[in-house]
Amino acid sequence: MLQGVLQAIPLGANRSVTIDIGGGSTEFVLGSPGCKIKFATSLKLGHIPLSEKLLDEGSLRPEKIEDTRRAIRLTLIQSGV
């Protein structure tokens, strides 16, 4: 993933955070100057599982929005991201 970002954005000597949201998961990559990977992880925070938490029979359930936000925050905290 970081190599793909480097094709579009020359990071050079900068630190970087790359977040790739996919269908089943979201990948987080922290890069140091010189584009060296310092931390990388993949979490089950893709759009499909999150949509399943928010939707009920194809309709948005507004009361589930805050519950989903809390679940995302907890996942991020527990993962070390």
Side-chain angles (χ1 to χ4, degrees):
M1 172 181 54
L2 185 57
Q3 294 302 321
V5 170
L6 293 174
Q7 295 291 324
I9 304 168
L11 298 174
N14 297 310
R15 285 183 265 169
S16 63
V17 176
T18 305
I19 303 170
D20 180 14
I21 303 171
S25 64
T26 297
E27 284 70 47
F28 297 84
V29 179
L30 305 177
S32 67
C35 301
K36 294 185 174 100
I37 295 174
K38 291 296 187 181
F39 175 83
T41 191
S42 179
L43 304 176
K44 297 290 183 188
L45 293 175
H47 80 83
I48 293 172
L50 294 177
S51 294
E52 289 171 350
K53 288 180 189 248
L54 286 170
L55 299 176
D56 183 24
E57 297 179 15
S59 299
L60 180 62
R61 302 276 313 272
E63 65 273 11
K64 290 193 166 191
I65 292 173
E66 193 54 40
D67 290 341
T68 303
R69 286 180 178 157
R70 275 194 286 277
I72 292 169
R73 285 186 198 105
L74 181 61
T75 300
L76 291 170
I77 290 167
Q78 291 175 339
S79 73
V81 171

